[in-house]
Amino acid sequence: MTRRKIKLLDSDDLRKQLDSYYQAASQETCARFGRDLVEHLIELTGFKVGQEPDVEAGWAVSQACLVGQARMHDVRQAGFKIHALVASDYAIKLINLAYPDDLAAVQKERQWQLAWWQDKTDDDRA
C-alpha cells in the first residue's frame, strides 16, 4: 500500500481499496479524479470559485492538462506533483477538520472516492 504522507483519522481498509485503483490508473485518469475530487470538495465545503487565486491558477492548469494543452513547466508551477492518492488523503484531512473524530464522515468520503474510481475505471480494470 502507498505510504500515507500526512497524519489523519482514516479508514485503512477503504484506503487500501483506493490504492489498488491508483496503482492501475493512467496519469489521465488520476488527473480526472483530481478534477472531480476538487469539484466534490467545493460542493461539500461551500467554497466559492474565485475566492483563492492559487486554487484558481491550479484549476486552470489542471483543465489544460486534461485536454493536452499544458506545458510541463505550467504543471510544475501549479504544484501538480502530488499523486492522486495524496490528494485523496488531503480530502480526508479536510473531513477530519470539519468533523473531528468522526470515522463515519471519513468513511463516507472514502466511499465517495471509491465510487468515483469504480464508476470511471471499470473498463480500464477489465
Side-chain angles (χ1 to χ4, degrees):
M1 183 166 89
T2 306
R3 201 172 127 233
R4 188 176 287 113
K5 308 280 189 230
I6 57 177
K7 184 178 178 181
L8 49 86
L9 173 67
D10 202 353
S11 176
D12 289 338
D13 58 328
L14 295 176
R15 189 175 185 279
K16 283 179 189 176
Q17 291 177 49
L18 284 169
D19 195 35
S20 70
Y21 282 100
Y22 298 126
Q23 296 300 325
S26 68
Q27 190 172 16
E28 180 185 351
T29 301
C30 287
R32 285 187 295 129
F33 173 74
R35 176 198 61 204
D36 291 353
L37 180 63
V38 167
E39 288 176 350
H40 165 71
L41 293 174
I42 286 171
E43 184 178 308
L44 187 68
T45 63
F47 181 81
K48 302 287 188 254
V49 176
Q51 206 170 1
E52 180 58 52
D54 290 340
V55 172
E56 295 301 315
W59 184 257
V61 171
S62 174
Q63 297 297 70
C65 281
L66 287 171
V67 295
Q69 295 179 347
R71 299 174 304 154
M72 187 52 69
H73 173 75
D74 298 329
V75 174
R76 281 193 209 106
Q77 289 298 318
F80 281 96
K81 301 294 280 184
I82 298 175
H83 188 274
L85 187 56
V86 175
S88 74
D89 285 346
Y90 276 101
I92 296 301
K93 185 69 172 182
L94 174 68
I95 297 302
N96 287 178
L97 293 170
Y99 307 99
D101 300 319
D102 188 344
L103 187 57
V106 168
Q107 291 170 329
K108 182 178 178 182
E109 175 59 27
R110 284 292 190 205
Q111 290 290 353
W112 181 93
Q113 294 172 11
L114 270 173
W116 185 96
W117 283 96
Q118 291 163 349
D119 181 55
K120 305 290 191 224
T121 63
D122 279 344
D123 294 336
D124 294 343
R125 293 173 58 94

